C-alpha cells in the first residue's frame, strides 16, 4: 500500500488520462456508431454492404494491431498527431462497430408499424430513423451500450503500447522504479474494476428508468 501512496500523483495523473481516453473514445464511437447503424438498416443495398463490411472488418481485427499500425504507419504518409489523439480516434473507430450493432439490435426491436406510420405521414427514411426509430431503439439498448463503455475503458489500457501514459503505463513506470508488481498492478486493477462497477451501476439505473413496458 505504501508504494501506491508514494507514487499517488503519477498514478492519479494516469487515471485522469484513462478517464479522458475512455470518455472521448466512447463519445466518438457513439457518433460514428449511429452512422454505422444507419448504413446497416438502410434500404439501399450498397449502403448496407458498406455498413456490413465496416462491422466485419473492425470486429475481426485486434485493437492492438490497429493502434500499432496507426501510430507507426500514419506518420509515414504525412499524418502526424499526438499519441493520445491517435489512440482516441483508433479506439473510437474500433468501438463504433460494436455500438452500431447494438443500435441495430435496438432498431430491430422497434415494431414495424412505427416505421410504416412514419412513412405514412411523409417522413423520409432518415427523418423516421432520427425522430421515430432511434429514440425508441436507444431505450432498449442502454445495458448493451453500458457494456461497450466498460469494454472501451478496459481497451484503453492497450494505448500504453503506443506511448499514451494512462493508468496502465503509469503503473508500469512505477513498477520499473519500485519493482513491486503485485501491489502496483492490483491497485491499478482495482481502479479499472471501480470504473466498470460505476458504469454498470449508472447504466442499470438508466435502464430501469427508461424501460419500455410492452
Amino acid at each position: 500500500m505504501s508504494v501506491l501512496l508514494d507514487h499517488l500523483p503519477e498514478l492519479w495523473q494516469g487515471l485522469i488520462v484513462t478517464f479522458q481516453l475512455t470518455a472521448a473514445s466512447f463519445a466518438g464511437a457513439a457518433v460514428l456508431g449511429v452512422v454505422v447503424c444507419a448504413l446497416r438498416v438502410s434500404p439501399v443495398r450498397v449502403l448496407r454492404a458498406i455498413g456490413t463490411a465496416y462491422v466485419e472488418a473492425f470486429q475481426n481485427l485486434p485493437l492492438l494491431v490497429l493502434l500499432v499500425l496507426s501510430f507507426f504507419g500514419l506518420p509515414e504518409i504525412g499524418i502526424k498527431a499526438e499519441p493520445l489523439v491517435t489512440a482516441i480516434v483508433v479506439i473510437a473507430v474500433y468501438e463504433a462497430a460494436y455500438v452500431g450493432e447494438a443500435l441495430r439490435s435496438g432498431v430491430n426491436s422497434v415494431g414495424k408499424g412505427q416505421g410504416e406510420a412514419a412513412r405514412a405521414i411523409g417522413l423520409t427514411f432518415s427523418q423516421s430513423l432520427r425522430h421515430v426509430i432511434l429514440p425508441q431503439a436507444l431505450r432498449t439498448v442502454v445495458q448493451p451500450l453500458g457494456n461497450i463503455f466498460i469494454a472501451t475503458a478496459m481497451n484503453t489500457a492497450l494505448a500504453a503500447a503506443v506511448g499514451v501514459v494512462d493508468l496502465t503505463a503509469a503503473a508500469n513506470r512505477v513498477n520499473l522504479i519500485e519493482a513491486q508488481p503485485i501491489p502496483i498492478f492490483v491497485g491499478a486493477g482495482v481502479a479499472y474494476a471501480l470504473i466498470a462497477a460505476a458504469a454498470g451501476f449508472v447504466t442499470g439505473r438508466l435502464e430501469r428508468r427508461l424501460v419500455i413496458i410492452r
Side-chain angles (χ1 to χ4, degrees), residues 25-139:
S25 297
F26 186 76
V31 173
L32 187 54
V34 171
V35 176
V36 173
C37 174
L39 291 174
R40 291 280 277 152
V41 301
S42 171
V44 181
R45 181 178 298 178
V46 174
L47 295 181
R48 288 201 308 273
I50 293 173
T52 300
Y54 182 97
V55 170
E56 291 295 328
F58 285 102
Q59 286 191 345
N60 290 287
L61 283 174
L63 176 56
L64 182 58
V65 171
L66 295 175
L67 284 167
V68 172
L69 284 176
S70 299
F71 185 77
F72 293 104
L74 291 179
E76 294 295 325
I77 59 175
I79 302 176
K80 298 180 180 180
E82 292 294 323
L84 180 62
V85 175
T86 300
I88 288 171
V89 172
V90 172
I91 295 173
V93 169
Y94 177 82
E95 296 293 345
Y98 296 91
V99 172
E101 283 299 275
L103 291 175
R104 185 172 73 93
S105 70
V107 169
N108 290 338
S109 72
V110 177
K112 291 183 179 180
Q114 299 289 325
E116 293 171 355
R119 288 191 296 272
I121 61 175
L123 296 183
T124 64
F125 170 75
S126 61
Q127 289 174 329
S128 63
L129 190 65
R130 184 169 68 252
H131 298 298
V132 179
I133 306 300
L134 274 181
Q136 296 181 67
L138 282 171
R139 297 177 68 176

Side-chain angles (χ1 to χ4, degrees), residues 1-5 11 171-172 174-192:
M1 179 62 73
S2 62
V3 67
L4 296 177
L5 295 177
L11 295 171
N172 189 51
V174 172
N175 181 55
L176 291 175
I177 297 171
E178 300 291 347
Q180 297 185 48
I182 293 178
I184 293 169
F185 285 103
V186 166
V190 169
Y192 281 111

Side-chain angles (χ1 to χ4, degrees), residues 146-165:
N147 293 338
I148 294 171
F149 179 86
I150 293 171
T152 302
M154 302 302 108
N155 285 338
T156 59
L158 295 174
V162 293
V164 177
V165 187

